Amino acid sequence: MNDSKILYGGLAALGRELATGRWEGAKYVILLDENTFQHCLPLLISKVEPLQEAEFIEVPVGEEAKSLEVAAQVWQTLLEEDADRSMVLVNLGGGCVSDLGGFLAAGYKRGLRHINVPTSLLAMADAAIGGKTAIDFGGVKNSLGHFYQPALVAIDTAFLATLPEAEILNGAFEMVKTAAVTDPVLYKGLISTDHLPARAVKEVARIKARVVKADPLDRSIRHILNFGHTFGHAIEVHSRLPHGVAVGIGMKAAMYLSVKKMNLAEAIYNEYSAWLAGRVEVPAYSLRDIEAMLPLMHNDKKNAGDGISCVLLQEPGAPAIDVTVSDHEVRDTFLKLNR
């Protein structure tokens, strides 16, 4: 499996790369949604000359794009346009566009080259890097997908200026997640400031890329990046919260269990809880809510056997992967979440 080339120099670096012989004869199609068509496409084509003649395909905004129906429509369009394997799909958008675009590229004519140009903080820090491609199916998030690495990922923080504050917050939670399991100094810095410098975005992206390189098929160490996600995915589906926000709440749940099961210092849990409370309102969950979320957690793709697998924290930078938790422990955690 080939590694992705991460371009931390942004669109200028992407323009230089596409002008090399490696991309000679490539035909480009840009996959985007209504938001990136309006706010991001002009910047992309003004900075990257080889893309100025590209065609584009627009898909729905958000999770609605990640369906078999949308994938089939895009594949049909490509077939009607006689797209062959010289075509390169350029995924311009946040995590949903890169998830869908990678899935489309992996499935069309046994594999197309694709390039991720993340435009959200969440995608820059996490979703666009690593080759996890997926769509939702059967009511389960990311239940169909492939490991299929993009040829390039171009990270340009200029796109962050197009985002509302809520989207910056959404991505900040994924940055904190990565730092919490890999770099205690970076973690402390992120939860001690309201300002996210561009260098921190790129540092988190570098960490994600290193972890992926060590475990591209997500069989061992890469599991650490699921911190907060077992609870977070259930919260996202049940409470209809943005992915990053749900993961942020899921990290509080994982830290609560970490205090109980891994001897995480309660002061670390309290510090994170206070930081979280200053940014989002944590829902109060009833037993009825919890019973609705438990099947979602049992159906999580990270589980093995009958248990629910979580990533817990011994201390920042020292995660424990694949820790099995019981339904009783999940119920207790959800009931304590908004306290």
Side-chain angles (χ1 to χ4, degrees):
M1 178 176 294
N2 295 328
D3 295 330
S4 299
K5 184 174 183 179
I6 313 295
L7 303 176
Y8 299 101
L11 296 183
L14 178 61
R16 291 192 296 270
E17 174 68 24
L18 296 187
T20 65
R22 182 185 177 196
W23 300 91
E24 186 176 355
K27 299 177 181 179
Y28 300 101
V29 173
I30 301 171
L31 187 76
L32 40 64
D33 62 23
E34 180 181 354
N35 291 336
T36 53
F37 176 79
Q38 179 178 355
H39 299 294
C40 303
L41 183 62
L43 180 60
L44 177 70
I45 60 176
S46 70
K47 297 289 186 179
V48 186
E49 185 176 353
L51 298 182
Q52 290 177 0
E53 301 300 322
E55 298 181 7
F56 65 88
I57 297 175
E58 186 174 327
V59 296
V61 174
E63 206 72 21
E64 184 183 347
K66 293 171 54 176
S67 71
L68 273 179
E69 291 76 16
V70 172
Q73 290 168 9
V74 176
W75 281 327
Q76 183 65 40
T77 298
L78 295 178
L79 287 171
E80 290 172 356
E81 296 295 326
D82 295 322
D84 58 24
R85 294 186 68 192
S86 70
M87 194 200 84
V88 178
L89 195 63
V90 179
N91 305 315
L92 179 69
C96 291
V97 170
S98 62
D99 278 359
L100 173 66
F103 183 85
L104 292 166
Y108 187 77
K109 296 193 175 180
R110 298 192 178 96
L112 300 172
R113 287 185 292 178
H114 66 118
I115 296 169
N116 285 341
V117 183
T119 60
S120 71
L121 180 57
L122 188 151
M124 292 178 195
D126 187 71
I129 300 169
K132 283 187 176 181
T133 77
I135 60 172
D136 305 335
F137 183 73
V140 179
K141 182 178 172 67
N142 295 338
S143 54
L144 296 181
H146 311 270
F147 288 98
Y148 192 70
Q149 296 284 354
L152 301 172
V153 180
I155 296 176
D156 197 319
T157 55
F159 286 120
L160 299 181
T162 69
L163 299 177
E165 188 60 33
E167 278 301 312
I168 297 292
L169 179 63
N170 199 37
F173 286 117
E174 284 285 2
M175 292 181 64
V176 168
K177 173 218 68 179
T178 299
V181 295
T182 61
D183 189 327
V185 175
L186 180 60
Y187 169 74
K188 185 70 174 179
L190 289 175
I191 66 168
S192 300
T193 181
D194 290 326
H195 177 62
L196 291 174
R199 67 178 182 275
V201 178
K202 294 177 181 179
E203 179 56 28
V204 169
R206 288 187 178 94
I207 293 170
K208 172 75 183 282
R210 288 198 297 268
V211 173
V212 168
K213 186 173 183 178
D215 181 20
L217 296 181
D218 198 13
R219 289 172 173 164
S220 56
I221 189 63
R222 188 170 172 176
H223 289 193
I224 65 174
L225 299 176
N226 292 323
F227 182 57
H229 282 63
T230 302
F231 282 88
H233 281 163
I235 291 167
E236 180 180 359
V237 172
H238 181 78
S239 301
R240 299 182 181 276
L241 289 173
H243 175 76
V245 172
V247 167
I249 297 170
M251 283 192 283
K252 179 178 180 180
M255 285 195 187
Y256 174 83
L257 278 172
S258 297
V259 172
K260 300 289 186 182
K261 296 173 72 71
M262 308 302 299
N263 295 316
L264 177 71
E266 194 164 349
I268 293 172
Y269 168 75
N270 290 336
E271 181 182 41
Y272 178 77
S273 296
W275 180 82
L276 178 69
R279 285 151 183 81
V280 298
E281 182 177 351
V282 178
Y285 289 111
S286 67
L287 282 172
R288 178 178 293 179
D289 293 321
I290 298 166
E291 293 309 306
M293 286 188 283
L294 270 169
L296 297 172
M297 297 179 71
H298 276 287
N299 206 24
D300 192 285
K301 61 186 179 298
K302 298 180 289 294
N303 292 330
D306 296 329
I308 295 174
S309 293
C310 287
V311 178
L312 301 184
L313 208 59
Q314 300 167 86
E315 60 184 52
I321 64 174
D322 300 334
V323 180
T324 300
V325 300
S326 68
D327 287 7
H328 174 74
E329 289 172 319
V330 169
R331 292 186 185 99
D332 174 62
T333 301
F334 270 123
L335 290 171
K336 304 290 175 54
L337 258 186
N338 76 328
R339 298 185 183 179

